[in-house]
Amino acid sequence: MESAHYFSAQPAGPFTRKPLTVELVGATRRLHTSSGIFSPDGIDKGTAILLADVPAPTPQGNLLDIGCGWGPIALTMGLMAPHAKVHAVDVNERCVTLTNENAELLELRNVTASLPDDVDPAIMFDTIWSNPPIRIGKDELHGLLLRWLPRLAPGGNAWLVVQKNLGSDSLQRWMADTLDESFTVTRESTSKSFRILRVRKASR
């Protein structure tokens, strides 16, 4: 699958659902996946490291998954924080559909996936988790992050997993230089070839 396909709103090829069995939050989950999306056959290495290494999301409030795919991050947030509202966004309409269907399979009424433009612009997020789509290109990636990171609520945290050889260190420097002084950007951990970057919004 060419990477450009799963960054498209409507990927090429038929939307044919197939079963997917994965471990999420300590239990086996039976979900749906499809071709034309990122990592259709399971949880990719970067996402697995993010889910294993970051602290639990805030138990209440609004949480965000940027680039949801079939939903592993959003579903994990929904399972771990049942009293929070989880928003999942993706430009790929197939991903939005699959994440909503998988949330329904897990009876997670607190998870909603949508296209980015369909998220209420007034919502601020207490926790953001993302395996951001580095391969869309630097300009597009920067625009994506500048759309969502400034919407961290005071005291909120964003956790991003980025592969070292795909520019994690330069991305860290760019975020530190570009976001205003109310944000702090740090490297929290390194696992295998991935770094976990943390963006914290100062409390009021």
Side-chain angles (χ1 to χ4, degrees):
M1 175 61 62
E2 290 293 329
S3 62
H5 289 182
Y6 57 73
F7 298 137
S8 302
Q10 297 177 327
F15 185 5
T16 304
R17 293 163 182 80
K18 55 184 179 181
L20 175 68
T21 301
V22 294
E23 294 287 320
L24 291 176
V25 195
T28 300
R29 317 288 178 172
R30 290 175 174 81
L31 307 171
H32 292 155
T33 185
S34 173
S35 62
I37 66 171
F38 176 68
S39 191
D41 299 321
I43 301 174
D44 66 284
K45 290 180 181 179
T47 297
I49 288 169
L50 179 80
L51 296 179
D53 287 3
V54 302
T58 50
Q60 296 179 320
N62 289 291
L63 317 180
L64 176 66
D65 169 13
I66 306 170
C68 60
W70 54 261
I73 292 174
L75 299 174
T76 297
M77 288 177 133
L79 290 163
M80 295 181 72
H83 300 295
K85 173 64 176 175
V86 181
H87 306 260
V89 295
D90 205 296
V91 297
N92 186 327
E93 295 174 4
R94 196 171 294 185
C95 293
V96 171
T97 299
L98 285 169
T99 297
N100 282 325
E101 291 179 352
N102 286 333
E104 188 172 343
L105 286 172
L106 298 182
E107 299 182 350
L108 292 174
R109 296 177 178 83
N110 61 330
V111 176
T112 301
S114 64
L115 299 173
D117 287 345
D118 293 335
V119 178
D120 183 347
I123 294 174
M124 303 294 281
F125 300 100
D126 301 282
T127 302
I128 297 174
W129 285 1
S130 181
N131 180 359
I134 301 297
R135 296 181 188 277
I136 60 175
K138 185 179 292 186
D139 290 344
E140 290 81 1
L141 175 67
H142 289 176
L144 176 72
L145 294 176
L146 286 177
R147 177 174 192 166
W148 298 109
L149 293 179
R151 293 176 63 177
L152 275 173
N157 289 280
W159 302 87
L160 313 177
V161 61
V162 184
Q163 202 163 357
K164 287 189 287 186
N165 65 2
L166 293 181
S168 61
D169 294 349
S170 61
L171 182 64
Q172 179 184 344
R173 289 192 296 270
W174 174 82
M175 290 190 295
D177 291 342
T178 305
L179 295 168
D180 69 40
E181 64 278 1
S182 66
F183 292 90
T184 304
V185 182
T186 54
R187 181 198 305 164
E188 290 295 305
S189 64
T190 299
S191 180
K192 300 179 181 177
S193 61
F194 293 88
R195 298 206 196 282
I196 300 290
L197 305 179
R198 178 188 185 188
V199 181
R200 177 172 174 78
K201 171 77 170 179
S203 301
R204 295 188 190 280

